[in-house]
Amino acid sequence: MTIYIYNTLTKKKEEFIPVDPGKVKMYVCGMTVYSDAHIGHARTYVAFDIIRRYFEYKGNKVHYVQNITDVDDKIIAAAKQEGIDPLEYSKRFTDQCLADLDALGIRRADQYPKASETIPDMIHMIKQIIHRGYGYVADGDVYFSVETFSDYGKLSGQNIAEMKKGARVEPGENKRSPLDFALWKKAKPGEPVWQSPWGPGRPGWHIECSTMSCSLLGPTFDIHGGGMDLQFPHHENEVAQSEAASGKQFARYWMHIGLLTINGEKMSKSLGNIINVKDLLKAWDAEVLRMFFAQAHYRSPPDFSEKALTDIQKGRERLHRVKERLEETVKHAPSPKLSLPSLSESETQYMETIKQLKESFEEAMDNDFNTPKAFASLYEFVNKTNRFFEQHKTPDPGLCKHTLDVLLRIGYVLTLFQPKINTTQDADVELINKLQGLLQSFGKTVEAHSTDKLIEALLRTREEARTHKNWDIGDRIRKNLEQLGFEIQDTTSGPVWRKK
RNA sequence: GGGCGGGUAACAAAGUGUCUAUGUGACGGACUGCAAAUCCGUAUACGAAGGUUCAAAUCCUUCCCCGCCCUCCA
């Protein structure tokens, strides 16, 4: 089945046909690295991570490029405040921002070109733009002449006449028309400077994306994406520059991610409500955050709140319990293999559930990466699987293995069940200390230094108390363990626990 | 003013012509010492008014609200 994508360029859902069959070339506007990565970044890059993973799931080879803007007004200003070199400053934040995204469990793009390292290519492209009559030099600055590019406005639906009404030329600019934008900015004191045919200066913002995408993916490539806010003017200008320079179509599909709000408000510096990824990860599991993003469609603006994350977290528990239940069955079999003839009638019926999951997942994702619907399929599967387990206390391990394989494959696309990378050793030590303390408070000690052993010791203590109908102690142990993030369930075959 | 997207149950969020979306929460039941988990069942929807249609949350018309972009932004 083919994938349909809502293309901002045409404002329609279109069948995705790559330039080269089986290959997907995508470029996503990356971060301007002047402070830590925030949840707005996270929202966008989680969305594209899932999109990328789904393309791969469908057997495509994906070439994913994401730029790093390391030369920019805000970086220069911030570096100045700290009294250090702007490029050194941005280098530091490049590493930091990428580490933030790593911690969130977002897979890295294939390439992260940096503006500062692509200047010769940019100069080359600007030359081409001038040569083809779309750019002009004005006293050391170079501008793109918007009115010479007849397709200008096609991405954002703007028209030149309307825009001219409200546009103004800033004092000190040498633009011929207020709509024109800078390709190259004349050097100012204290700013990073590169030599160019038009004198010393630095590139304008929009040109870097045109240059980097063209040089790494070719003049025409498949997908260009970014936050909704970049549609105009950034992406509009990119289209103009790139097509002016090459004479060919630039990106074929434009994808824009709905911007995150916080408690119903726009996230912005002036409102002071910017939340850093780093801070958020102190309180929340990365997977909860990714699920939160994925349970809104990528074009919708999700509203961030504690309540939203709490709700998501509960749903996530259900998914994990089912996964763990399947794993448990598989674990106890030596080499589980699916053998259809040996399945019982109801097990054969359950095979249908697995097939349905796969089909409805793909149907949802094929339709413009409808992740909320994909999750709905997953939850339906969870319900049916639980029902199946109600009837089969010991289902066929081969069947469970097969189910697990399908679940994990789908989970991978939706960034579920990834190994955690943000648990530190310190946290483990702290937890062990707390567990030991808890055990001691019930008058017990145990020569153990693993969480597993300690929890089991606590549960034994609890069982002792419970056999004497000493419910108070039992309940206290359970409550304490729950506060430490462990779920305790008393089943007919004794207590079981799991990490939440 | 110009451009774009919305309004779906308590909240979140899909659907876009007939088919229980889904998650969290609420209520009732089973299970349990109590919980938890799980299962079974129940309730609460499509901003408003008209229209088209056998059939509308979905299409059309009008109206009312909300958000975003047009300056830097993921």
Side-chain angles (χ1 to χ4, degrees), chain A residues 339-437:
Chain A
S339 155
L340 292 177
S342 63
L343 296 183
S344 70
E345 199 185 320
S346 58
E347 283 173 335
T348 307
Q349 257 173 33
Y350 179 69
M351 283 294 291
E352 194 56 33
T353 298
I354 302 160
K355 204 175 133 214
Q356 267 172 23
L357 168 66
K358 194 167 168 289
E359 282 172 1
S360 60
F361 166 74
E362 289 175 15
E363 195 190 318
M365 293 299 282
D366 281 345
N367 184 10
D368 197 26
F369 307 98
N370 193 333
T371 50
K373 209 173 175 194
F375 270 96
S377 320
L378 220 39
Y379 286 119
E380 260 166 49
F381 161 82
V382 165
N383 184 254
K384 284 179 186 162
T385 302
N386 280 328
R387 205 180 302 169
F388 175 68
F389 270 103
E390 290 285 304
Q391 287 155 6
H392 298 260
K393 298 298 174 198
T394 53
D396 183 77
L399 175 62
C400 289
K401 176 78 172 69
H402 171 69
T403 311
L404 194 59
D405 288 346
V406 174
L407 178 64
L408 291 180
R409 234 180 122 225
I410 286 172
Y412 181 78
V413 174
L414 297 171
T415 73
L416 297 174
F417 315 130
Q418 293 189 167
K420 283 182 193 174
I421 50 174
N422 61 333
T423 50
T424 61
Q425 287 237 304
D426 289 354
D428 287 347
V429 171
E430 203 185 315
L431 181 62
I432 284 170
N433 285 339
K434 279 185 185 164
L435 288 170
Q436 277 172 336

Side-chain angles (χ1 to χ4, degrees), chain A residues 124-314:
Chain A
H124 180 73
M125 189 177 243
I126 296 170
K127 271 191 194 163
Q128 265 180 307
I129 293 168
I130 297 171
H131 176 72
R132 291 172 57 96
Y134 295 100
Y136 59 92
V137 184
D139 188 29
D141 289 326
V142 183
Y143 291 102
F144 187 92
S145 172
V146 165
E147 277 155 275
T148 57
F149 187 76
S150 58
D151 272 350
Y152 193 83
K154 69 177 171 182
L155 179 66
S156 56
Q158 310 281 328
N159 82 65
I160 291 180
E162 278 302 331
M163 282 190 293
K164 275 177 90 167
K165 285 183 191 164
R168 296 210 188 341
V169 180
E170 296 289 319
E173 290 185 324
N174 302 303
K175 292 176 182 178
R176 286 182 195 164
S177 157
L179 300 183
D180 295 350
F181 56 89
L183 296 168
W184 188 261
K185 296 174 173 179
K186 188 166 65 174
K188 287 188 201 131
E191 291 187 358
V193 165
W194 287 267
Q195 289 307 318
S196 82
W198 318 285
R202 62 183 173 100
W205 174 37
H206 313 296
I207 194 71
E208 68 175 68
C209 286
S210 290
T211 303
M212 293 181 202
S213 56
C214 287
S215 57
L216 294 172
L217 299 173
T220 303
F221 57 94
D222 299 304
I223 294 172
H224 191 131
M228 205 76 100
D229 53 336
L230 297 181
Q231 190 182 344
F232 188 88
H234 184 54
H235 289 162
E236 191 67 62
N237 291 352
E238 275 188 59
V239 173
Q241 291 166 340
S242 308
E243 298 191 352
S246 71
K248 292 176 186 147
Q249 187 186 9
F250 187 45
R252 288 156 42 103
Y253 301 87
W254 284 86
M255 299 181 74
H256 289 102
I257 309 298
L259 292 197
L260 180 107
T261 56
I262 294 176
N263 296 312
E265 283 181 316
K266 186 189 157 164
M267 183 171 80
S268 75
K269 249 190 171 169
S270 54
L271 286 168
N273 60 353
I274 292 179
I275 301 175
N276 287 335
V277 168
K278 222 176 253 146
D279 294 335
L280 210 51
L281 285 176
K282 285 176 195 156
W284 297 93
D285 190 282
E287 188 177 51
V288 174
L289 298 173
R290 295 193 303 265
M291 272 182 74
F292 163 68
F293 296 133
Q295 288 198 47
H297 184 87
Y298 78 83
R299 282 188 281 117
S300 308
D303 186 41
F304 178 89
S305 66
E306 295 274 319
K307 156 105 170 68
L309 292 189
T310 307
D311 287 357
I312 292 289
Q313 191 167 32
K314 286 175 184 161

Side-chain angles (χ1 to χ4, degrees), chain A residues 489-500:
Chain A
Q489 291 177 31
D490 295 315
T491 69
T492 43
S493 51
V496 291
W497 66 275
R498 58 182 288 277
K499 178 106 185 76
K500 277 212 239 186

